[in-house]
Amino acid sequence: ASRRSVATMSHQRLLLLLVASPASAAWGAVSKRFYVPRRAVLGSIPLVTLAPIRTGAASVDPNAISERWRPQGDPKRAESYLEQLKDGETALEQLLANWNTVTARTNGDGSPDGDAVRRVVGTVGVASPLFGIERVLKVVGKDLDSRDLLEDPAEYMEAVEAVVNGLRDADYLAYSAIFSDPSGNAGKKGQTSKDYLERSRVATLQTLKAYRNLMSMLPALQ
C-alpha cells in the first residue's frame, strides 16, 4: 500500500475508535437531553490524571514548546488547569489571526501543510495547550461539580462535546487538505486542498466560539 493509503486508513481507524468510545456514547445521551441526576453526569466519568511532564508557560506557540503541558498543582483540582485552558483559547485566536501565514507553507508536492493547523489544535505532537483537552475538561467539570461550582453539568458536557467535535473537524479538514490535490482533486470545484483548508479555518472559528462559550461556564476559575 502507498504511504498515502496507509495514512488515510490509519486516520479512518482512529475516527472509528473515537466514534465507538464510551465517552462518545455518554455524550450522545446527554445531547438528547435525557434527565440525568446532577452527580451522575460527571460522577460516572473516570478521573484521568495527566502525565506530569510540563508546567505552564507564557508562550502558546506549539513550535516553540518541546514538552507536554501538565497541571500546575493538584491534578484533581480544576484550578490547576486554568492557565492551560486560557492558553488553549489564545492558541485558537492566534491561529485564526495568522491563518494565511501559518498555512502558507507547502509540502514537497505543493499541497498545503495541514499539519501546521493540526499542531495547534493538538492532534499532531503534544506541545499545544489543546493536546488532551478532552481529558482536562472532564477533570475540571468533575471537580467543580463536586464542589457545587458548576451550574449545569449537562450543559457543560454539551459544551465540552462542541469543543472536542470542533477540534476534530478542524483536524480532519486540515488533514484532508494535505492529500486532496495529490489524490487528483486539483482543479475540482469544492474538492481542492485549498477548499479543504478553508473549511478547516471555518471549523476552527466555530470551535473558538464554542470554546469561549465553555469558558463562560467556569466563573469559579476566572
Side-chain angles (χ1 to χ4, degrees), residues 66-183:
S66 59
E67 298 177 344
R68 179 177 171 180
W69 289 72
R70 75 171 188 181
Q72 292 186 294
D74 185 346
K76 296 181 181 180
R77 299 286 286 190
E79 289 81 0
S80 300
Y81 301 92
L82 177 58
E83 184 171 352
Q84 182 176 355
L85 291 176
K86 287 184 175 180
D87 282 356
E89 181 177 356
T90 300
L92 291 174
E93 291 172 342
Q94 291 179 349
L95 173 60
L96 288 165
N98 301 286
W99 185 268
N100 291 336
T101 301
V102 171
T103 60
R105 177 184 169 188
T106 58
N107 297 310
D109 56 9
S111 62
D113 182 17
D115 281 348
V117 175
R118 301 176 72 213
R119 278 188 286 274
V120 177
V121 300
T123 51
V124 170
V126 300
S128 171
L130 294 169
F131 174 78
I133 198 68
E134 181 177 2
R135 295 177 179 178
V136 169
L137 292 172
K138 287 180 181 179
V139 173
V140 168
K142 185 180 181 77
D143 177 51
L144 292 179
D145 185 51
S146 71
R147 293 186 278 154
D148 291 321
L149 296 176
L150 197 61
E151 183 175 347
D152 188 334
E155 184 179 2
Y156 175 80
M157 284 300 296
E158 289 183 354
V160 171
E161 180 180 11
V163 168
V164 173
N165 286 343
L167 291 172
R168 288 175 182 163
D169 286 346
D171 163 61
Y172 175 75
L173 292 166
Y175 178 87
S176 299
I178 300 173
F179 297 104
S180 190
D181 281 359
S183 298

